[in-house]
Amino acid sequence: MTTATTSTSKAAADAAGGSLRFYGVWLTGIVVLIVLPMIFSSGGSLTSFSLIGIAIVFALSYNILLGQTGLLSFGHAVHYGLGGFAACHMMNAVVSHGWPIPLPFIPLFGGLGGLVFAMIIGWVMTKRAGTVFAMISLGIGELVASSSLILRSVFGGESGITTDRTALPKLLGWSFGPQLQVYYLIAFWLVLSAIAMYALTRTPLGRICNAVRDNPERVQFIGYDPHVVRYIAFCFAGFFAGIAGGLAAINFEIANSAYLGAIQSGLVLFSTFIGGTAFFFGPILGAILVTYLQLGLTNLTTAWQLYFGIIFIGIVMYAPGGIAGLLMMHRPLIRAGTLWTVIPSYLVAIVPTVALACGVILAIETVARFSGGDAINLFGIAFNPTSPVTWIAAAVLVVGGFVVARLTWRRIADAWDRAATVARDRGYLA
């Protein structure tokens, strides 16, 4: 009786500790969102944070398809863009008709715009998964993007639809003219959407979406229709993507054909896959990284899209679980206390890996700037793209860094195997 009571008490304590950690993570995230603009208060920082918040909502909506249901879409930007257009039209209607709808409710109409389109086209699209669904999504995306330049009454042609967020009724004295107020509006919808999407993953619907992703035939055997499950997930993804589009329309006060294009669909795919689809926080990390790189690289180089492609290929080849997968791999080692045995190997591998990365950057920039002759500034060192010395330096860094890095990566693999074996013996590794 004493042993049973002790085991029950321990289980209850573990459950209470897990709940405390769970709510602690969410509260920490909310506090960070509130405090962040107080630390970084410049206009550029607030704009960057707003764009990152929009990208996070968009990436999480895409992960409902890819990570939860196993649907690879090449046209998810359609719902994002239509949500943006719906939000702009709604804001203009509120102003012209004098409706008492304040700005914080506008993203909801953007979500409805994405949801309605998902309901219309989703039933046919989700009849099949895999390559068929991916190709149909690509075709639908390009069709809508092309139509946006033709249907001027709806999409405004090349100039798009403009609006004025400050013309809407104020809420608690906020006009949402300053970027700080827009940031807090985006942060509010980010928290609300993230909680809703996480809750969705914990429902029976979220679990059956995972089952459809892994084994649709078995789902049919237990009495569920995979087509219906995929359709419902597609509608949810369209709704939250529309919310992200509505937030973007509020932030930029315009919606145009760029919201609907393949580049926007590619960015959300990169964000979700690079961050990791197996964990809920993966798309969040990916959205932060991709948005930050997009904002930073566009000011530094004209070949910024090439860097995105290289990063994506590297993740696919060496870390298919994404950044979140790499981080979660270390969790059993931390709990078992064996991570310290791997850290020295990491430190040794840093130098050749950084050299390899610098060589790749130098090679790309040398090719990109060769015709113009613009100087390359790599970590404070100037290189002339037309000089043979630059080409030799790039070749040495790439070849030498790769060879040495491969040797150090093998050392990491050996150290990892030893640490994982100890963790498994201690019961911390499945």
Side-chain angles (χ1 to χ4, degrees), residues 168-261:
L168 273 73
K170 295 182 180 180
L171 181 66
L172 302 177
W174 283 27
S175 65
F176 296 97
Q179 186 63 38
L180 178 63
Q181 296 180 6
V182 176
Y183 163 79
Y184 279 120
L185 172 61
I186 293 174
F188 169 78
W189 275 100
L190 166 60
V191 173
L192 193 63
S193 301
I195 292 175
M197 283 185 274
Y198 180 80
L200 178 64
T201 64
R202 316 307 294 179
T203 61
L205 174 62
R207 299 303 189 187
I208 204 67
C209 285
N210 298 157
V212 169
R213 174 197 64 195
D214 298 333
N215 196 332
E217 291 81 7
R218 182 64 61 88
V219 171
Q220 286 182 310
F221 291 156
I222 62 176
Y224 291 93
D225 187 354
H227 176 209
V228 175
V229 175
R230 288 193 292 262
Y231 176 67
I232 296 175
F234 186 80
C235 291
F236 273 109
F239 174 74
F240 287 108
I243 288 179
L247 292 174
I250 291 174
N251 184 63
F252 295 110
E253 296 181 299
I254 188 174
N256 52 35
S257 58
Y259 283 34
L260 302 161

Side-chain angles (χ1 to χ4, degrees), residues 312-404:
F312 184 75
I313 293 173
I315 292 292
V316 171
M317 292 181 60
Y318 299 106
I323 299 174
L326 290 176
L327 294 177
M328 294 303 291
M329 285 173 57
H330 295 80
R331 186 180 180 184
L333 303 188
I334 295 174
R335 299 178 64 185
T338 59
L339 181 61
W340 64 272
T341 60
V342 186
I343 292 178
S345 299
Y346 282 159
L347 297 177
V348 172
I350 286 177
V351 176
T353 303
V354 171
L356 172 61
C358 290
V360 172
I361 294 173
L362 184 58
I364 293 174
E365 294 302 319
T366 301
V367 174
R369 306 188 187 193
F370 180 78
S371 59
D374 297 332
I376 303 170
N377 189 353
L378 184 62
F379 300 109
I381 302 175
F383 293 91
N384 184 0
T386 60
S387 173
V389 177
T390 303
W391 292 85
I392 295 173
V396 170
L397 288 173
V398 171
V399 176
F402 178 77
V403 172
V404 179

